Amino acid sequence: GDAASASEVLERTDWGNAEEVVAALRRVPASVLTPPLARRYAHALIDCGRYRDARDLGTGDELVLARVERRMGDYTTALSRLENVEPSFASQLLRAELLRLLDRESESALVLASCCPTTDDEQVALDYERALLELTTSTETALPADHYLAARLSSYRAFERRDCEEAARDAAVAHRRARNTIERIDASLDRLFAVFSAGEWDLARAVAVEALQEVEETQGDRAAGGILFTLAYLAADAGQWAHAAQRIARLRHYYASTSDTVRLGEVQLLGAHLDFSRGRFVDARRAAQAVYDCRGRDQVREAAA
């Protein structure tokens, strides 16, 4: 019955991973959850893919809410929330990541330059974000060889070399090293993209189904959009036109709900592919030309071309 002492003990406790934090703190009454414990619980819930639970915990922490919205795909809202957060390594790194995801690389680089890591893990995370911005340059950033992020970075570098098979292998290694749910999902999406880009479409379909099963264990992870994009493309190519059209409609609804105009525009590419596979060449040309003229991501323009 001594809530204060219980809180002190829990605040000093070190757990091995997010799953252990959630398993321990979900049994703790609200009277014991001090603000630091509640924030720790909320971040662990996010790492486990339980985004709505983290949001509903009511910590009032804008960084928690920004992380939730980043994982659920509302990048713009997540970025605006960070305006109300006291600058810290975690908030600045998230800000840089969001700017990169919104194709604002120069702003992301400026934010990364202001980050001051204080632990080895923070240094690795910072080096990883910097390396993602430098993929198209000759700069080589070394991460600890056995680290999860090292495998993911190696996968991206292989893809830059157009070695999709190596990229897929590295992504599988990252999946095995993943420390929590969201890391496994991100690695699965990397592997799917690499396998699909290699033209191994039967394997891509199987990988997509496995990845979707992981995502369905979460509370609305954004990765579902990338998986559905791939499945819609494969369905159209296989002549499953009604199935493809249904998935395209779901994607349009999803990206509209998150105000993601960039990805919403890219869904036109799926429409073009569906029209092409059905022999509607004039419609396919019109949709592909619209995507090409938008001058968005190079890979999307290349596919439209």
Side-chain angles (χ1 to χ4, degrees):
D2 188 349
S5 296
S7 299
E8 289 177 8
V9 171
L10 289 170
E11 288 178 0
R12 293 196 304 268
T13 302
D14 288 326
W15 287 283
N17 54 47
E19 283 80 5
E20 291 181 7
V21 174
V22 171
L25 295 184
R26 68 183 174 83
R27 300 194 299 271
V28 172
S31 60
V32 175
L33 281 179
T34 59
L37 280 174
R39 286 194 294 271
R40 188 176 185 184
Y41 186 24
H43 285 295
L45 285 168
I46 293 169
D47 290 341
C48 293
R50 294 170 59 176
Y51 312 127
R52 290 193 300 273
D53 290 347
R55 184 178 57 202
D56 294 345
L57 200 57
T59 62
D61 189 319
E62 292 285 284
L63 179 57
V64 168
L65 296 175
R67 284 194 69 204
V68 167
E69 280 148 357
R70 178 263 179 267
R71 291 306 309 184
M72 298 183 78
D74 195 345
Y75 296 160
T76 303
T77 301
L79 192 58
S80 66
R81 282 197 183 277
L82 292 176
E83 297 297 327
N84 304 317
V85 176
E86 179 106 10
S88 65
F89 179 83
S91 66
Q92 290 295 83
L93 192 71
L94 179 57
R95 186 191 302 276
E97 181 187 13
L98 288 164
L99 289 168
R100 172 175 55 80
L101 292 169
L102 290 167
D103 298 331
R104 294 161 59 179
E105 287 89 353
S106 58
E107 294 175 68
S108 178
L110 288 175
V111 174
L112 290 176
S114 70
C115 288
C116 298
T118 58
T119 67
D120 289 343
D121 282 345
E122 289 181 351
Q123 184 65 60
V124 170
L126 177 60
D127 288 343
Y128 173 74
E129 275 298 322
R130 284 174 171 161
L132 291 183
L133 292 179
E134 297 166 353
L135 277 176
T136 57
T137 73
S138 59
T139 305
E140 286 286 326
T141 301
L143 300 180
D146 59 349
H147 201 281
Y148 160 80
L149 290 177
R152 288 196 68 196
L153 181 59
S154 180
S155 177
Y156 292 142
R157 284 175 172 160
F159 192 82
E160 284 293 311
R161 299 192 302 271
R162 301 289 178 142
D163 190 341
C164 296
E165 291 184 4
E166 183 179 341
R169 286 195 299 271
D170 289 335
V173 171
H175 189 274
R176 290 194 296 271
R177 293 178 181 174
R179 298 160 293 185
N180 53 51
T181 299
I182 62 175
E183 289 188 350
R184 284 190 289 274
I185 288 172
D186 288 346
S188 289
L189 198 58
D190 291 345
R191 183 183 176 219
L192 171 59
F193 187 59
V195 171
F196 175 79
S197 299
E200 298 182 36
W201 287 358
D202 288 338
L203 178 57
R205 189 176 289 104
V207 171
V209 171
E210 291 175 7
L212 198 57
Q213 288 173 344
E214 289 182 334
V215 170
E216 286 173 348
E217 294 176 3
T218 72
Q219 294 173 336
D221 196 281
R222 179 193 172 84
I227 298 167
L228 288 175
F229 194 104
T230 306
L231 288 172
Y233 189 99
L234 294 173
D237 191 75
Q240 300 169 353
W241 297 324
H243 192 48
Q246 182 186 44
R247 293 193 182 277
I248 291 171
R250 285 182 62 188
L251 280 169
R252 286 197 177 108
H253 175 75
Y254 172 69
Y255 288 131
S257 70
T258 58
S259 303
D260 192 335
T261 55
V262 174
R263 277 79 182 182
L264 195 57
E266 292 173 0
V267 173
Q268 292 183 85
L269 185 63
L270 287 178
H273 180 59
L274 178 57
D275 284 333
F276 182 84
S277 67
R278 298 174 79 168
R280 300 175 179 175
F281 302 132
V282 174
D283 292 337
R285 180 182 290 111
R286 185 184 303 113
Q289 188 69 50
V291 175
Y292 186 82
D293 290 343
C294 282
R295 298 194 175 277
R297 287 181 169 83
D298 290 344
Q299 293 163 346
V300 175
R301 290 194 79 218
E302 181 180 331

